[in-house]
Amino acid sequence: PAIESQSGGCGVAGSRMTDTRRRVKVYTLNEDRQWDDRGTGHVSSCYVERLKGMSLLVRAESDGSLLLESKINPNTAYQKQQDTLIVWSEAENYDLALSFQEKAGCDEIWEKICQVQGKDPSVDITQDLVDESEEERFDDMSSPGLELPSCELSRLEEIAELVASSLPSPLRREKLALALENEGYIKKLLEIFHVCEDLENIEGLHHLYEIIKGIFLLNRTALFEVMFSEECIMDVIGCLEYDPSLSQSRKHREFLTKTAKFKEVIPISDPELKQKIHQTYRVQYIQDMVLPTPSVFEENMLSTLHSFIFFNKVEIVGMLQEDEKFLTDLFAQLTDEATDEEKRQELVNFLKEFCAFSQTLQPQNRDAFFKTLSNMGILPALEVILGMDDAQVRSAATDIFSYLVEYNPSMVREFVMQEAQQNDDDILLINLIIEHMICDTDPELGGAVLLMGLLRTLVDPENMLATANKTEKTEFLGFFYKHCMHVLTAPLLANTTEDKPSKDDFQTAQLLALILELLTFCVEHHTYHIKNYIINKDILRRVLVLMASKHAFLALCALRFKRKIIGLKDEFYNRYIMKSFLFEPVVKAFLNNGSRYNLMNSAIIEMFEFIRVEDIKSLTAHVIENYWKALEDVDYVQTFKGLKLRFEQQRERQDNPKLDSMRSILRNHRYRRDARTLEDEEEMWFNTDEDDMEDGEAVVPPSDKTKNDEDIMDPISKFMERKKLKESEEKEVLLKTNLSGRQSPSFKLSFSSGTKSNLTSQSSASNLPGSPGSPGSPGSPGSPGSVSKSTSQMAAITTKGGLVGLVDYPDDDEEDDEDEDKEETLPLSKKAKLESS
């Protein structure tokens, strides 16, 4: 039947060219087996006189040029993939693909191809018989089988051509495979291989390469069993050394016999098992190293080879698992102190490979496998190995541990809780894992990242079991926070005893970032366990010291930790934050970041925006009462002014409850009249109130301003103006703002401009506390981490204190520091004792 217009052209209407169903991308496969995009256009099928047949044409949508003109050849195998791809080979090593925008278009063209080839469009790959008419095909089907030429040196070329011509046809492949099986043909070919090698007959060896490679593509298990037998496999590998496309033959046999050595870490008594291990290694080598990279269509022709390796591995695991003596000896030698290091390394590597093989097992078989290992004492053995000095052994043991955790975290949790009853915290398996994570010597901390992932899996409540009489979450988390959490946080606490990290190299920063990531996960998933730990150990204050790191990623990790806590909207956390003035390091980081528009700037603003939008009243009041003067000039976002409005509204409600209820009535009425959101209505109400005020009264009434003049710190964001003050004026400011007992004079901000500025506190009961510490060296512009942050010492000393004003120290600021130190040393120490009691 006619497919389309039989004229010389395609006769495609203009509307057809813009039809998205016909829109395609053309791809060709390059030498690196990567698909190259050749352009986008519209595909059509029509009769092309020049090609004497129905063809696929793709014209570029940009300029109408011809991207593809390909005759639909009756003998070409076309393949449909993923509903929108049609793939075929135009010539040897030239694969093409059409990727359709829509499935409908793909189906349409697929039907055209199938009609030309006389195939049912329901197939995913067109199957054709090379150069065969219907009669020949019928004869083939009725004939008893394929007759192979006699296996002689002189007929190798004929045999190679027969194999090559049979591959495109499933029916001929089937007949060829049966003929090869029945006549013991493969062994005869391998005998000729020896003759060719002895005679150095390179042409014959090239033909044998093509024949053996073709036999692989027949995809028959029965043939593989012959080829991979002990007597044949090395000769098969030998045939594959003589690739005609290579100028020199490969030395695969030499590698397998001389370089690759088989080590029996524990003697294997079963000869069948030993042979199976040898065979699997060699077949895997053939698949990975010897056979050339298969083309798009050859991939499916090697599926049986993949299966052969897979089932061999399953068999090996099963046979080893059943050999109790073997496993008993393995674990005994692993844990025996008398075992030398080299032997132990071999044993651990074997166990690692054994576990890797287990990944091929079906779920029920894998259950039995890990149950056997557990009964043999794999976890106590790992505990012993992880406590050893050999880094390579520990690394392999860590990989084995990861298999166990990923397979069954509950099994690992149960073991560590049981061992905690007998052993000290130092030698608990989880603590050993944490210590290896902390002590990872890799500059990129590759091992630490893996171990942190395993710890996260172990402490994740989502994979914990709950039964009627016991809850794993309660038991294990209680154990973890009692016995392990102090080990995990030790590097964090050790590094944050001052106002900035004591070690700030890249590797330390990476490790602390990993620890913070896990702690942030705990905040989200562990509720009261982590809350008690953070508040009792004052963890948040110590974490915020890391905002003074020169590494932006670590400062942002610290900020993310606090943001996760604030996101919980838990008043216990909020009271802790307010009591210890833990917004101070954040405000300092924000101001030190200056006018740079970067991630630090955005993340801090987002935190305050969350407090405003969620209307967290306690934090809103705390921020405005203590930090408003530092933030009031930030006008490129409305976040801080919005917070101030929230605060003023709160205060008005407290002062006048009747007004609050009246506003509620008005707002509800207005809400019913308009379809605006409640938040929009509140903002409108705030704005209306502001408009009704007289000029200059919008934010703080005059009486409040007068009252707070001495309490609220000078506007920090105007520090550049104050930089111009004369030295005498600055000293005068310093004298007026002497510290009131909570503020250390060394509390400074380092700005990216290099200007040194100090926050110093003035006496008041509820103001921004300062923190002792020296400024970090300013980083390069654009580096949000290069700012000095709050100190740990400060929050420990103070729960109350004076408001802080920013002043610019003159050039001789060190002198002033010394004078103020003399004034402040005694009050600070006294206050610390009082408040810690």
Short mmCIF file of all heavy atoms in Angstrom, two decimals, residues 616-663:
data_model
loop_
_atom_site.label_atom_id
_atom_site.label_comp_id
_atom_site.label_asym_id
_atom_site.label_seq_id
_atom_site.Cartn_x
_atom_site.Cartn_y
_atom_site.Cartn_z
N ILE A 616 6.75 35.31 65.54
CA ILE A 616 7.26 34.71 66.78
C ILE A 616 7.50 35.87 67.75
O ILE A 616 8.52 36.55 67.70
CB ILE A 616 8.56 33.91 66.52
CG1 ILE A 616 8.32 32.87 65.43
CG2 ILE A 616 9.04 33.25 67.81
CD1 ILE A 616 9.55 32.11 64.99
N LYS A 617 6.54 36.09 68.64
CA LYS A 617 6.48 37.33 69.41
C LYS A 617 7.68 37.53 70.33
O LYS A 617 8.25 38.62 70.41
CB LYS A 617 5.18 37.37 70.21
CG LYS A 617 3.94 37.49 69.33
CD LYS A 617 2.65 37.49 70.15
CE LYS A 617 1.45 37.77 69.27
NZ LYS A 617 1.33 36.86 68.12
N SER A 618 8.09 36.44 71.00
CA SER A 618 9.19 36.59 71.97
C SER A 618 10.48 37.00 71.25
O SER A 618 11.21 37.89 71.71
CB SER A 618 9.40 35.29 72.74
OG SER A 618 9.63 34.22 71.83
N LEU A 619 10.76 36.37 70.12
CA LEU A 619 11.99 36.69 69.39
C LEU A 619 11.90 38.06 68.73
O LEU A 619 12.90 38.78 68.67
CB LEU A 619 12.28 35.62 68.33
CG LEU A 619 12.60 34.21 68.85
CD1 LEU A 619 12.95 33.28 67.70
CD2 LEU A 619 13.76 34.24 69.85
N THR A 620 10.71 38.42 68.25
CA THR A 620 10.54 39.75 67.66
C THR A 620 10.88 40.83 68.68
O THR A 620 11.65 41.76 68.41
CB THR A 620 9.09 39.93 67.17
OG1 THR A 620 8.80 38.93 66.20
CG2 THR A 620 8.88 41.30 66.54
N ALA A 621 10.30 40.70 69.89
CA ALA A 621 10.56 41.69 70.94
C ALA A 621 12.04 41.71 71.30
O ALA A 621 12.65 42.78 71.46
CB ALA A 621 9.71 41.36 72.17
N HIS A 622 12.64 40.53 71.41
CA HIS A 622 14.06 40.44 71.79
C HIS A 622 14.95 41.12 70.76
O HIS A 622 15.86 41.89 71.10
CB HIS A 622 14.44 38.96 71.93
CG HIS A 622 15.90 38.74 72.22
ND1 HIS A 622 16.45 38.95 73.46
CD2 HIS A 622 16.92 38.33 71.42
CE1 HIS A 622 17.74 38.68 73.42
NE2 HIS A 622 18.05 38.30 72.19
N VAL A 623 14.68 40.85 69.48
CA VAL A 623 15.51 41.43 68.41
C VAL A 623 15.37 42.94 68.38
O VAL A 623 16.37 43.68 68.32
CB VAL A 623 15.13 40.81 67.04
CG1 VAL A 623 15.79 41.59 65.90
CG2 VAL A 623 15.54 39.35 66.98
N ILE A 624 14.14 43.44 68.46
CA ILE A 624 13.93 44.89 68.36
C ILE A 624 14.49 45.61 69.59
O ILE A 624 15.15 46.65 69.50
CB ILE A 624 12.44 45.22 68.17
CG1 ILE A 624 11.95 44.65 66.83
CG2 ILE A 624 12.19 46.72 68.22
CD1 ILE A 624 12.71 45.13 65.62
N GLU A 625 14.26 45.04 70.78
CA GLU A 625 14.73 45.70 72.00
C GLU A 625 16.26 45.76 72.07
O GLU A 625 16.82 46.70 72.61
CB GLU A 625 14.20 44.95 73.23
CG GLU A 625 12.71 45.22 73.48
CD GLU A 625 12.16 44.30 74.56
OE1 GLU A 625 12.94 43.47 75.09
OE2 GLU A 625 10.96 44.40 74.86
N ASN A 626 16.92 44.75 71.48
CA ASN A 626 18.37 44.67 71.63
C ASN A 626 19.17 45.09 70.41
O ASN A 626 20.33 45.49 70.54
CB ASN A 626 18.77 43.25 72.03
CG ASN A 626 18.30 42.89 73.43
OD1 ASN A 626 18.89 43.34 74.42
ND2 ASN A 626 17.22 42.13 73.53
N TYR A 627 18.57 44.95 69.23
CA TYR A 627 19.38 45.14 68.02
C TYR A 627 18.80 46.14 67.02
O TYR A 627 19.32 46.27 65.92
CB TYR A 627 19.58 43.78 67.31
CG TYR A 627 20.06 42.68 68.22
CD1 TYR A 627 19.20 41.71 68.70
CD2 TYR A 627 21.39 42.65 68.64
CE1 TYR A 627 19.63 40.72 69.56
CE2 TYR A 627 21.84 41.66 69.49
CZ TYR A 627 20.97 40.70 69.95
OH TYR A 627 21.41 39.73 70.80
N TRP A 628 17.72 46.81 67.40
CA TRP A 628 17.06 47.69 66.43
C TRP A 628 17.99 48.77 65.90
O TRP A 628 18.04 49.04 64.71
CB TRP A 628 15.81 48.31 67.05
CG TRP A 628 15.20 49.39 66.19
CD1 TRP A 628 15.04 50.70 66.50
CD2 TRP A 628 14.70 49.23 64.86
NE1 TRP A 628 14.46 51.37 65.46
CE2 TRP A 628 14.25 50.48 64.43
CE3 TRP A 628 14.60 48.15 63.97
CZ2 TRP A 628 13.70 50.71 63.18
CZ3 TRP A 628 14.05 48.36 62.73
CH2 TRP A 628 13.61 49.63 62.33
N LYS A 629 18.77 49.39 66.79
CA LYS A 629 19.63 50.48 66.34
C LYS A 629 20.70 49.99 65.35
O LYS A 629 21.19 50.75 64.53
CB LYS A 629 20.31 51.15 67.55
CG LYS A 629 19.41 52.13 68.29
CD LYS A 629 19.08 53.32 67.42
CE LYS A 629 18.18 54.33 68.14
NZ LYS A 629 17.85 55.46 67.28
N ALA A 630 21.04 48.72 65.47
CA ALA A 630 22.03 48.16 64.53
C ALA A 630 21.42 47.90 63.17
O ALA A 630 22.13 47.85 62.17
CB ALA A 630 22.60 46.87 65.09
N LEU A 631 20.10 47.71 63.13
CA LEU A 631 19.47 47.23 61.90
C LEU A 631 18.53 48.23 61.25
O LEU A 631 18.05 48.00 60.13
CB LEU A 631 18.67 45.94 62.21
CG LEU A 631 19.48 44.78 62.82
CD1 LEU A 631 18.53 43.69 63.32
CD2 LEU A 631 20.47 44.21 61.82
N GLU A 632 18.25 49.35 61.93
CA GLU A 632 17.18 50.23 61.43
C GLU A 632 17.50 50.87 60.08
O GLU A 632 16.59 51.23 59.34
CB GLU A 632 16.88 51.32 62.46
CG GLU A 632 18.01 52.31 62.69
CD GLU A 632 17.58 53.45 63.62
OE1 GLU A 632 16.37 53.74 63.65
OE2 GLU A 632 18.44 54.01 64.29
N ASP A 633 18.77 51.01 59.74
CA ASP A 633 19.10 51.67 58.48
C ASP A 633 19.13 50.71 57.29
O ASP A 633 19.45 51.11 56.17
CB ASP A 633 20.47 52.37 58.59
CG ASP A 633 20.35 53.64 59.44
OD1 ASP A 633 19.20 54.09 59.66
OD2 ASP A 633 21.39 54.13 59.91
N VAL A 634 18.85 49.43 57.53
CA VAL A 634 18.81 48.47 56.41
C VAL A 634 17.46 48.65 55.70
O VAL A 634 16.42 48.22 56.20
CB VAL A 634 18.96 47.01 56.91
CG1 VAL A 634 18.87 46.03 55.74
CG2 VAL A 634 20.26 46.84 57.66
N ASP A 635 17.50 49.30 54.56
CA ASP A 635 16.24 49.62 53.88
C ASP A 635 16.10 48.95 52.51
O ASP A 635 15.12 49.18 51.81
CB ASP A 635 16.07 51.13 53.75
CG ASP A 635 17.26 51.77 53.03
OD1 ASP A 635 18.11 51.01 52.54
OD2 ASP A 635 17.33 53.01 52.99
N TYR A 636 17.09 48.14 52.10
CA TYR A 636 16.95 47.49 50.79
C TYR A 636 16.03 46.27 50.87
O TYR A 636 15.66 45.69 49.85
CB TYR A 636 18.32 47.09 50.20
CG TYR A 636 19.21 46.27 51.11
CD1 TYR A 636 19.10 44.89 51.18
CD2 TYR A 636 20.17 46.89 51.91
CE1 TYR A 636 19.90 44.14 52.01
CE2 TYR A 636 20.98 46.16 52.75
CZ TYR A 636 20.85 44.78 52.79
OH TYR A 636 21.67 44.04 53.62
N VAL A 637 15.67 45.86 52.11
CA VAL A 637 14.56 44.92 52.32
C VAL A 637 13.70 45.50 53.43
O VAL A 637 14.17 46.29 54.24
CB VAL A 637 15.07 43.51 52.73
CG1 VAL A 637 15.73 42.80 51.58
CG2 VAL A 637 16.01 43.58 53.93
N GLN A 638 12.45 45.10 53.46
CA GLN A 638 11.52 45.64 54.47
C GLN A 638 11.44 44.75 55.72
O GLN A 638 10.63 45.01 56.60
CB GLN A 638 10.12 45.78 53.84
CG GLN A 638 10.05 46.80 52.71
CD GLN A 638 10.57 48.16 53.14
OE1 GLN A 638 10.08 48.75 54.11
NE2 GLN A 638 11.57 48.66 52.44
N THR A 639 12.30 43.75 55.78
CA THR A 639 12.24 42.77 56.87
C THR A 639 12.33 43.42 58.24
O THR A 639 11.51 43.17 59.12
CB THR A 639 13.38 41.75 56.70
OG1 THR A 639 13.16 41.04 55.48
CG2 THR A 639 13.43 40.77 57.85
N PHE A 640 13.34 44.26 58.45
CA PHE A 640 13.59 44.79 59.79
C PHE A 640 12.55 45.85 60.17
O PHE A 640 12.10 45.90 61.31
CB PHE A 640 15.02 45.34 59.87
CG PHE A 640 16.04 44.29 59.56
CD1 PHE A 640 16.79 44.33 58.38
CD2 PHE A 640 16.23 43.22 60.41
CE1 PHE A 640 17.71 43.34 58.08
CE2 PHE A 640 17.15 42.22 60.13
CZ PHE A 640 17.88 42.28 58.95
N LYS A 641 12.13 46.65 59.20
CA LYS A 641 11.06 47.60 59.48
C LYS A 641 9.76 46.85 59.78
O LYS A 641 8.97 47.26 60.63
CB LYS A 641 10.89 48.56 58.30
CG LYS A 641 12.03 49.58 58.21
CD LYS A 641 11.83 50.56 57.07
CE LYS A 641 12.85 51.70 57.13
NZ LYS A 641 14.24 51.26 57.22
N GLY A 642 9.56 45.74 59.06
CA GLY A 642 8.38 44.90 59.33
C GLY A 642 8.41 44.32 60.72
O GLY A 642 7.39 44.24 61.41
N LEU A 643 9.61 43.90 61.16
CA LEU A 643 9.76 43.38 62.53
C LEU A 643 9.43 44.46 63.55
O LEU A 643 8.76 44.22 64.56
CB LEU A 643 11.19 42.90 62.75
CG LEU A 643 11.52 41.43 62.47
CD1 LEU A 643 13.00 41.19 62.67
CD2 LEU A 643 10.73 40.50 63.35
N LYS A 644 9.89 45.67 63.27
CA LYS A 644 9.62 46.80 64.18
C LYS A 644 8.12 47.07 64.27
O LYS A 644 7.58 47.32 65.37
CB LYS A 644 10.38 48.04 63.64
CG LYS A 644 10.13 49.31 64.44
CD LYS A 644 10.80 49.27 65.79
CE LYS A 644 10.79 50.67 66.40
NZ LYS A 644 11.16 50.65 67.82
N LEU A 645 7.45 47.00 63.12
CA LEU A 645 6.00 47.20 63.13
C LEU A 645 5.31 46.12 63.95
O LEU A 645 4.38 46.40 64.71
CB LEU A 645 5.47 47.19 61.69
CG LEU A 645 5.81 48.41 60.83
CD1 LEU A 645 5.42 48.16 59.40
CD2 LEU A 645 5.11 49.65 61.37
N ARG A 646 5.73 44.89 63.79
CA ARG A 646 5.18 43.80 64.59
C ARG A 646 5.37 44.08 66.08
O ARG A 646 4.46 43.90 66.89
CB ARG A 646 5.91 42.48 64.25
CG ARG A 646 5.61 41.93 62.88
CD ARG A 646 4.42 41.01 62.93
NE ARG A 646 4.35 40.18 61.75
CZ ARG A 646 3.24 39.72 61.22
NH1 ARG A 646 2.08 40.05 61.78
NH2 ARG A 646 3.24 38.94 60.16
N PHE A 647 6.57 44.52 66.42
CA PHE A 647 6.90 44.80 67.81
C PHE A 647 6.00 45.92 68.37
O PHE A 647 5.44 45.81 69.46
CB PHE A 647 8.37 45.19 67.92
CG PHE A 647 8.78 45.67 69.29
CD1 PHE A 647 8.80 44.80 70.36
CD2 PHE A 647 9.14 47.00 69.50
CE1 PHE A 647 9.18 45.24 71.63
CE2 PHE A 647 9.52 47.44 70.75
CZ PHE A 647 9.54 46.55 71.82
N GLU A 648 5.87 47.02 67.60
CA GLU A 648 5.03 48.14 68.05
C GLU A 648 3.59 47.69 68.23
O GLU A 648 2.91 48.09 69.18
CB GLU A 648 5.10 49.28 67.02
CG GLU A 648 6.45 49.98 66.95
CD GLU A 648 6.80 50.70 68.24
OE1 GLU A 648 5.87 51.11 68.96
OE2 GLU A 648 7.99 50.83 68.55
N GLN A 649 3.12 46.85 67.29
CA GLN A 649 1.75 46.36 67.38
C GLN A 649 1.56 45.52 68.64
O GLN A 649 0.55 45.65 69.33
CB GLN A 649 1.45 45.53 66.13
CG GLN A 649 0.00 45.10 66.00
CD GLN A 649 -0.90 46.26 65.67
OE1 GLN A 649 -0.43 47.36 65.40
NE2 GLN A 649 -2.19 46.04 65.71
N GLN A 650 2.56 44.66 68.93
CA GLN A 650 2.50 43.84 70.14
C GLN A 650 2.39 44.71 71.38
O GLN A 650 1.58 44.47 72.28
CB GLN A 650 3.78 43.00 70.27
CG GLN A 650 3.78 41.72 69.48
CD GLN A 650 5.12 41.03 69.55
OE1 GLN A 650 5.69 40.70 68.54
NE2 GLN A 650 5.64 40.85 70.75
N ARG A 651 3.22 45.75 71.42
CA ARG A 651 3.26 46.61 72.60
C ARG A 651 1.94 47.37 72.78
O ARG A 651 1.44 47.52 73.89
CB ARG A 651 4.43 47.58 72.49
CG ARG A 651 4.86 48.11 73.85
CD ARG A 651 6.27 48.57 73.84
NE ARG A 651 6.47 49.69 72.91
CZ ARG A 651 7.59 50.37 72.80
NH1 ARG A 651 8.62 50.01 73.56
NH2 ARG A 651 7.74 51.35 71.95
N GLU A 652 1.38 47.82 71.65
CA GLU A 652 0.09 48.52 71.73
C GLU A 652 -1.00 47.58 72.25
O GLU A 652 -1.87 47.99 73.02
CB GLU A 652 -0.29 49.05 70.35
CG GLU A 652 0.48 50.31 69.96
CD GLU A 652 0.04 50.81 68.59
OE1 GLU A 652 -1.15 50.66 68.27
OE2 GLU A 652 0.89 51.32 67.86
N ARG A 653 -0.95 46.33 71.81
CA ARG A 653 -1.96 45.37 72.27
C ARG A 653 -1.85 45.15 73.77
O ARG A 653 -2.85 45.03 74.48
CB ARG A 653 -1.77 44.04 71.55
CG ARG A 653 -2.26 44.05 70.12
CD ARG A 653 -1.91 42.75 69.43
NE ARG A 653 -2.23 42.81 68.02
CZ ARG A 653 -1.72 42.01 67.11
NH1 ARG A 653 -0.85 41.09 67.47
NH2 ARG A 653 -2.06 42.10 65.84
N GLN A 654 -0.60 45.07 74.26
CA GLN A 654 -0.39 44.87 75.69
C GLN A 654 -0.91 46.07 76.48
O GLN A 654 -1.52 45.94 77.53
CB GLN A 654 1.09 44.64 75.99
CG GLN A 654 1.59 43.29 75.50
CD GLN A 654 3.10 43.20 75.49
OE1 GLN A 654 3.79 44.17 75.82
NE2 GLN A 654 3.63 42.05 75.10
N ASP A 655 -0.61 47.28 75.94
CA ASP A 655 -1.01 48.50 76.64
C ASP A 655 -2.51 48.74 76.57
O ASP A 655 -3.10 49.31 77.49
CB ASP A 655 -0.29 49.72 76.04
CG ASP A 655 1.22 49.65 76.27
OD1 ASP A 655 1.61 48.82 77.13
OD2 ASP A 655 1.97 50.38 75.61
N ASN A 656 -3.16 48.32 75.49
CA ASN A 656 -4.57 48.64 75.30
C ASN A 656 -5.31 47.43 74.74
O ASN A 656 -5.54 47.33 73.53
CB ASN A 656 -4.69 49.84 74.33
CG ASN A 656 -6.09 50.42 74.34
OD1 ASN A 656 -7.03 49.79 74.85
ND2 ASN A 656 -6.22 51.60 73.78
N PRO A 657 -5.70 46.49 75.59
CA PRO A 657 -6.37 45.27 75.12
C PRO A 657 -7.65 45.57 74.34
O PRO A 657 -7.99 44.86 73.40
CB PRO A 657 -6.69 44.51 76.41
CG PRO A 657 -5.76 45.08 77.43
CD PRO A 657 -5.53 46.51 77.05
N LYS A 658 -8.40 46.66 74.72
CA LYS A 658 -9.65 46.97 74.02
C LYS A 658 -9.37 47.35 72.57
O LYS A 658 -10.09 46.96 71.65
CB LYS A 658 -10.37 48.12 74.73
CG LYS A 658 -10.97 47.72 76.07
CD LYS A 658 -11.71 48.88 76.70
CE LYS A 658 -12.29 48.46 78.05
NZ LYS A 658 -12.96 49.58 78.72
N LEU A 659 -8.31 48.11 72.38
CA LEU A 659 -7.93 48.53 71.01
C LEU A 659 -7.60 47.29 70.18
O LEU A 659 -7.97 47.20 69.01
CB LEU A 659 -6.71 49.45 71.07
CG LEU A 659 -6.17 49.95 69.72
CD1 LEU A 659 -7.21 50.79 69.01
CD2 LEU A 659 -4.89 50.75 69.93
N ASP A 660 -6.95 46.31 70.81
CA ASP A 660 -6.58 45.09 70.11
C ASP A 660 -7.82 44.35 69.63
O ASP A 660 -7.90 43.89 68.49
CB ASP A 660 -5.76 44.21 71.05
CG ASP A 660 -5.27 42.96 70.35
OD1 ASP A 660 -4.84 43.08 69.18
OD2 ASP A 660 -5.30 41.88 70.97
N SER A 661 -8.84 44.26 70.51
CA SER A 661 -10.06 43.55 70.11
C SER A 661 -10.81 44.33 69.03
O SER A 661 -11.39 43.74 68.13
CB SER A 661 -10.96 43.31 71.32
OG SER A 661 -11.34 44.56 71.88
N MET A 662 -10.79 45.67 69.12
CA MET A 662 -11.45 46.48 68.10
C MET A 662 -10.76 46.28 66.75
O MET A 662 -11.41 46.12 65.72
CB MET A 662 -11.39 47.96 68.50
CG MET A 662 -12.07 48.89 67.48
SD MET A 662 -13.80 48.50 67.24
CE MET A 662 -14.46 49.03 68.82
N ARG A 663 -9.45 46.26 66.77
CA ARG A 663 -8.71 46.04 65.51
C ARG A 663 -9.06 44.69 64.93
O ARG A 663 -9.20 44.52 63.72
CB ARG A 663 -7.21 46.09 65.76
CG ARG A 663 -6.69 47.50 65.84
CD ARG A 663 -5.21 47.46 66.00
NE ARG A 663 -4.67 48.82 65.95
CZ ARG A 663 -3.45 49.15 66.30
NH1 ARG A 663 -2.64 48.21 66.71
NH2 ARG A 663 -3.03 50.38 66.22
#
